Amino acid sequence: MSEMIATRDAYGKTLLELGRENPRVVVLDADLSGSTKTGLFAKEFPDRFFNAGIAEANMVGMAAGLASGGMIPFASTFAVFAAGRAFEQIRQSLAYPKMNVKIVATHGGITVGEDGGSHQSVEDLAIMRALPNMTVLCPADGPETSAAIRAAAALQGPVYVRLGRAKVPVIFPGGCDFTVGRGATLREGSDLTFITTGLMSAMALDAARILEAEKISARVIHLGSIKPLDVELVLRAARETGAVVTAEEHSVIGGLGGAVCEALAEGFPVPVERVGLRDVFGQSGTGEELLAHYGLTPAHLVEAAERVLKRK
Amino acid sequence: MLTETTVRELEETALHLRVDILKMLNAAQSGHTGGSLSAIDAMTALYFHKMRHDPSNPRWEDRDRFILSKGHAAPALYACLARAGYFPSEDLKTLRRLGSHLQGHPDMNKTPGVEVCTGSLGQGISQAVGIALASRLAGKGARIYTLLGDGELQEGQVWEAAMAAAHYKLDNLCAILDQNGLQIDGEVAKVMNVGPVGPKFLAFNWHVLEVDGHDLQAICRALDDAEKTDGRPTLIIARTVKGKGVPFFEHKASYHGVPPSDDELGRALEHLGHS
């Protein structure tokens, strides 16, 4: 059994390390520092932490101003408020001017759980991906989150990082090199390819093991960088395996599945099955119940693989 | 020092800037006339008297900053920047043209001297708050100025920013309200009354001053007063006239987003003594 770490916890720790390494790193939050884990930074660096209160629009604007003044701001809140409520501030004050601000949105997807559909962002990747100049990252586990946060800090320009509330299995136990725009082949395979992001990548590995027993060879590619997309890796997988299943804790519209389909349609069309929320909002329940209810489990990935193989 | 000569020179500069604004808007045949003319006196006081800045080094670290939160008054900003020497005055006639560095609304990545991108109302003041925080963190003595429209106060984000500026005791921040009383759909008081503005900002724990926004001496004194204020941001309510300086544009909401025609330009320049 893998170790379980919530990506938000890895974020909190990494942010604290960055704070110790670089005095230009500043952090903003909108009254959720306990949940987003920016509170760790706030405790050690109270002068470089700015609580905007429950005012996400102004938080993003302040972050832009801090970046304009030479700081490297990380601004955090839940994904539903970051990409939703503060969307136009992210567009005008960050993306349009290419401002060096990192929006790290926690509580993405349905594994937010009991708070229900109002708090479960299923559209943030699509929204952020549509913005010119925006880099969109969605790490799979704790170690990759640490690497992604460091990569975001090193990158000059706006970055949106989507993290989760729930503990998820570690799939990069030795840590990982994170390069923006590069995917990672987690497992080789020749009959089809799972192309996944966030917590679905661990599930794709489980699904590939189940398929192996059925003598089906599934490749698993994890894309921690949704934008820029590793188009070369995606097209190679399509050429070599001839079928693709995408999976994400997000709507099937406009996120990873959308991005992969765009790349394949233009570069090398093959049958695709998209696993994700089928154009619906979430609801209250435990994270595990919701993943099962909305079809985001290894068993569902196996079914999607069997469907796509029939279309080859 | 604010001598009578200085005031006279500033008034002369403001007159030239009005001419520049009208000419560039006429050349573009698109853009915001009324709100540029109402704001220009306060901006004249900032760019040609109050602010420490260096047009030959737009990114000078210790400079004071000006954020045009009402970004649609870009012609007023461009007129100031050109006259201050950030770029050649000839560029002004490329306003709003394809490929020009003078965008319809201010763009920090295109125009030398523009600090941030504005145009979507309410966002400039938040950025000014962030810049004021950064300036304090960096231990710089820079002052941060932002100019708002009174219609802009209808944006909730302005009040979020006002709350934050007072919370963080940003006495290096000074907002100037270009209170011309008009917005696109008509009188601010009738579209969505934002008043009483002074008491609202006082209640938000700001230092509030009120001046005739076309009296350069009064504006400069208010800016000095703001600089001496400890522990609180300052709001200068500048009572202005939309379209100020050109009688047939004054007090008219209909000239919010309309440039002067050739005929109107001719008559306006004649009135300003620049025909």
Side-chain angles (χ1 to χ4, degrees):
Chain A
M1 191 62 194
S2 316
E3 189 190 354
M4 302 284 282
I5 300 175
T7 51
R8 60 179 169 141
D9 282 316
Y11 168 52
K13 279 188 194 164
T14 308
L15 200 53
L16 186 57
E17 291 165 13
L18 283 173
R20 289 170 183 160
E21 293 162 20
N22 189 343
R24 292 196 300 131
V25 170
V26 297
V27 176
L28 301 95
D29 207 301
D31 194 41
L32 290 170
S33 61
S35 301
T36 63
K37 305 299 174 188
T38 61
L40 288 174
F41 182 99
K43 204 170 162 201
E44 186 159 326
F45 302 106
D47 295 343
R48 283 151 61 194
F49 175 81
F50 303 100
N51 204 325
I54 309 165
E56 295 78 10
N58 185 52
M59 174 178 75
V60 170
M62 287 201 296
L66 282 156
S68 167
M71 304 296 156
I72 305 172
F74 280 72
S76 285
T77 180
F78 291 178
V80 74
F81 306 131
R85 190 166 200 126
F87 167 74
E88 210 242 350
Q89 285 73 24
I90 291 178
R91 182 193 191 277
Q92 309 283 9
S93 295
L94 304 187
Y96 181 61
K98 302 184 196 134
M99 211 59 103
N100 193 27
V101 171
K102 321 305 164 187
I103 300 291
V104 182
T106 65
H107 296 62
I110 53 175
T111 47
V112 166
E114 293 82 349
D115 275 352
S118 60
H119 283 54
Q120 295 162 359
S121 178
V122 296
E123 70 285 4
D124 54 315
L125 296 175
I127 293 169
M128 288 296 126
R129 197 171 74 82
L131 285 174
N133 299 333
M134 185 59 88
T135 293
V136 181
L137 310 180
C138 185
D141 70 355
E144 193 192 25
T145 296
S146 297
I149 292 297
R150 286 184 171 279
L155 188 153
Q156 177 70 32
V159 181
Y160 179 84
V161 188
R162 186 209 221 204
L163 303 178
R165 169 176 183 248
K167 287 190 156 90
V168 293
V170 169
I171 62 173
F172 296 105
C176 72
D177 293 326
F178 189 93
T179 305
V180 171
R182 291 268 177 79
T185 303
L186 301 181
R187 181 185 169 111
E188 289 297 346
S190 53
D191 294 328
L192 78 144
T193 306
F194 286 115
I195 301 180
T196 53
T197 194
L199 60 78
M200 294 310 293
S201 294
M203 294 203 208
L205 286 171
D206 289 344
R209 281 189 281 270
I210 297 169
L211 288 166
E212 191 177 22
E214 300 173 20
K215 306 268 188 271
I216 295 169
S217 166
R219 183 177 300 187
V220 178
I221 290 176
H222 163 67
L223 296 182
S225 175
I226 306 286
K227 184 187 176 188
L229 192 76
D230 193 340
V231 174
E232 195 189 323
L233 190 67
V234 168
L235 294 183
R236 195 191 318 143
R239 273 194 297 271
E240 292 174 2
T241 68
V244 166
V245 172
T246 65
E248 64 206 296
E249 190 195 0
H250 183 273
S251 170
V252 292
I253 298 172
L256 173 81
V260 167
C261 284
E262 287 163 19
L264 292 176
E266 286 185 348
F268 194 84
V270 295
V272 178
E273 291 283 325
R274 289 171 301 155
V275 173
L277 278 94
R278 310 295 309 180
D279 200 16
V280 291
F281 288 113
Q283 60 178 305
S284 288
T286 66
E288 281 195 17
E289 285 169 344
L290 291 166
L291 289 169
H293 180 80
Y294 290 104
L296 302 178
T297 67
H300 289 98
L301 288 176
V302 167
E303 286 168 21
E306 288 163 349
R307 282 198 304 276
V308 85
L309 285 174
K310 285 189 195 140
R311 293 170 52 204
K312 259 179 103 171
Chain B
M1 256 310 272
L2 190 64
T3 62
E4 278 186 26
T5 317
T6 312
V7 174
R8 269 202 305 280
E9 283 170 2
L10 287 172
E11 285 166 352
E12 186 67 18
T13 302
L15 183 71
H16 283 289
L17 292 167
R18 283 195 159 81
V19 171
D20 293 342
I21 289 167
L22 290 163
K23 283 185 174 170
M24 87 174 92
L25 282 163
N26 171 258
Q29 274 308 298
S30 159
H32 298 82
T33 306
S36 295
L37 293 173
S38 63
I40 195 62
D41 293 305
M43 289 166 67
T44 301
L46 287 170
Y47 274 99
F48 300 93
H49 178 67
K50 191 69 196 170
M51 288 201 306
R52 293 174 306 161
H53 63 123
D54 179 1
S56 67
N57 183 13
R59 297 284 166 199
W60 175 40
E61 274 200 12
D62 296 342
R63 71 194 183 279
D64 292 337
R65 312 290 215 280
F66 175 71
I67 312 301
L68 183 63
S69 199
K70 52 170 280 187
H72 56 279
L77 177 58
Y78 299 155
C80 289
L81 293 173
R83 195 156 283 269
Y86 284 89
F87 53 83
S89 293
E90 300 85 76
D91 295 3
L92 295 177
K93 57 177 178 287
T94 68
L95 172 70
R96 291 182 167 236
R97 293 282 158 86
L98 183 66
S100 171
H101 72 84
L102 301 176
Q103 295 292 295
H105 293 84
D107 186 334
M108 61 183 279
N109 292 312
K110 290 199 161 74
T111 312
V114 169
E115 295 288 351
V116 298
C117 293
T118 53
S120 174
L121 296 175
Q123 300 200 21
I125 183 171
S126 287
Q127 299 193 65
V129 169
I131 295 172
L133 287 169
S135 175
R136 179 191 283 175
L137 270 182
K140 305 282 185 193
R143 292 195 55 76
I144 319 302
Y145 298 95
T146 182
L147 190 128
L148 298 146
D150 49 356
E152 183 175 10
L153 299 187
Q154 291 158 357
E155 286 284 4
Q157 186 173 354
V158 170
W159 302 98
E160 293 183 5
M163 199 162 30
H167 178 82
Y168 287 110
K169 300 183 168 51
L170 296 177
D171 49 19
N172 55 349
L173 176 71
C174 174
I176 299 158
L177 179 67
D178 176 16
Q179 191 179 51
N180 63 35
L182 295 173
Q183 60 189 111
I184 304 182
D185 272 356
E187 291 174 41
V188 174
K190 286 188 180 163
V191 173
M192 178 52 66
N193 191 10
V194 299
V197 173
K200 281 179 181 159
F201 273 85
L202 276 173
F204 273 65
N205 216 12
W206 281 55
H207 176 222
V208 178
L209 302 166
E210 189 165 344
V211 297
D212 174 344
H214 302 302
D215 178 341
L216 277 154
Q217 187 166 17
I219 296 166
C220 291
R221 289 208 171 123
L223 291 169
D224 289 342
D225 186 333
E227 190 163 13
K228 290 187 205 110
T229 304
D230 280 333
R232 278 183 301 167
T234 296
L235 174 75
I236 299 174
I237 299 173
R239 290 186 309 268
T240 59
V241 172
K242 197 149 185 163
K244 176 70 179 179
V246 182
F248 48 93
F249 288 164
E250 289 182 0
H251 299 291
K252 288 197 178 131
S254 54
Y255 275 100
H256 175 91
V258 179
S261 66
D262 291 349
D263 173 57
E264 287 165 338
L265 178 67
R267 288 193 286 140
L269 295 186
E270 198 172 331
H271 178 81
L272 294 168
H274 274 257
S275 54

